């Protein structure tokens, strides 16, 4: 095979890989999620278009503050495909995050989405950590009107560093971005990750691990 033919073949394989790795575009105007369907697919089954209504594209209540009376001092109000069935296949969702003074949205990841966060009220310290082996921490203090991006899959967090409540609005590049809160996943798994494994990973004794697991 000539070198020019090899080059064309290599470009074709690369292009094919890119196509396969991305989500397919919608093949109709909309695919409103049928949340009552028992059929399991990668996503949600479409509702019959004939029974779709305006309410399938609507959500009300994002103006209302979330209850931050919890150990983290924050509340996430999600607006994804489970709240707006019309988001199905559109690759986007939203969340309001309320923070009590000094409250945190603890370190977590979204396995299926990049997040772009806008501060509506208050002052937030935000940050994310890059993957192994660098594990570089990027942090910044955000004020009202500031915008910050958390790349897909990376551990990130927010903290209200003001003396009053704070509010942020987050847009995510998935109808169902998922969330893995690091502390809950590591110390609150069901069943527990064996204490000896976590003790070795965190370089502490097993009694310390058992004490932390009891909090989750």
């Amino acid at each position: 095979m000539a070198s020019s033919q090899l080059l064309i073949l290599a470009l074709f394989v690369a292009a094919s890989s890119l196509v396969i790795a991305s989500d397919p575009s919608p093949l109709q105007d909309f695919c409103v999620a049928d949340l009552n369907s028992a059929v399991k697919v990668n996503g949600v089954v479409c509702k019959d278009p004939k029974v779709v209504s305006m309410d399938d594209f609507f959500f009300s209540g994002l103006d209302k503050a979330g209850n931050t009376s919890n150990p983290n001092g924050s509340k996430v109000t999600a607006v994804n495909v489970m709240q707006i069935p019309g988001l199905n296949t559109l690759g986007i969702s939203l969340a309001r995050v309320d923070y009590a003074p000094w409250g945190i949205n603890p370190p977590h990841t979204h396995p299926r989405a990049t997040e772009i966060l806008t501060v509506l009220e208050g002052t937030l310290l935000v940050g994310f950590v890059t993957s192994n082996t660098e594990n570089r921490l990027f942090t910044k203090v955000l004020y009202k009107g500031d915008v910050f991006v958390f790349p897909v899959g990376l551990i990130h967090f927010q903290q209200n560093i003001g003396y009053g409540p704070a509010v942020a609005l987050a847009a995510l590049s998935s109808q169902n971005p998922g969330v893995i809160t690091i502390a809950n996943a590591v110390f609150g798994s069901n069943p527990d990750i064996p204490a000896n494994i976590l003790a070795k990973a965190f370089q502490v004794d097993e009694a310390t691990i058992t004490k932390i697991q009891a909090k989750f």
Side-chain angles (χ1 to χ4, degrees), residues 7 11 106 132 136 148:
L7 177 60
L11 290 172
N132 296 351
R136 185 178 176 190
F148 196 83

Side-chain angles (χ1 to χ4, degrees), residues 59-70 73-78 96-100 120-121 165-168:
F59 175 86
S60 179
L62 212 58
D63 60 316
K64 297 177 174 61
N67 183 3
T68 59
S69 298
N70 55 65
S74 68
K75 172 64 177 179
V76 178
T77 303
R96 170 180 172 143
V97 191
D98 289 275
Y99 312 82
L120 302 182
E121 293 291 342
V167 184

Side-chain angles (χ1 to χ4, degrees), residues 16 45 57 61 78 93 104 107 112 119 144 152 199:
S16 299
V45 173
F57 303 93
S93 59
I104 65 168
R112 296 179 289 276
V119 179
K144 183 177 179 178
V152 59

Side-chain angles (χ1 to χ4, degrees), residues 7-81:
L7 177 60
I8 292 171
L9 179 61
L11 290 172
F12 175 78
V13 170
S16 299
S17 298
L18 289 173
V19 171
I20 293 170
S22 62
D23 292 335
S25 298
L27 299 178
Q28 59 277 320
D29 289 341
F30 51 77
C31 172
V32 172
D34 184 352
L35 300 178
N36 297 316
S37 174
V39 178
K40 301 298 181 184
V41 297
N42 183 24
V44 188
V45 173
C46 301
K47 183 186 291 187
D48 184 343
K50 295 184 179 62
V51 299
V52 169
S53 74
M54 66 183 74
D55 287 336
D56 289 315
F57 303 93
F58 174 78
F59 175 86
S60 179
L62 212 58
D63 60 316
K64 297 177 174 61
N67 183 3
T68 59
S69 298
N70 55 65
N72 289 325
S74 68
K75 172 64 177 179
V76 178
T77 303
V79 185
N80 55 43
V81 71

Side-chain angles (χ1 to χ4, degrees), residues 128-149:
F128 68 85
V129 181
T130 62
S131 56
N132 296 351
T133 57
E134 187 178 24
N135 298 133
R136 185 178 176 190
L137 173 64
F138 289 83
T139 63
K140 190 167 183 64
V141 174
L142 305 183
Y143 302 94
K144 183 177 179 178
D146 288 347
V147 179
F148 196 83
V149 173

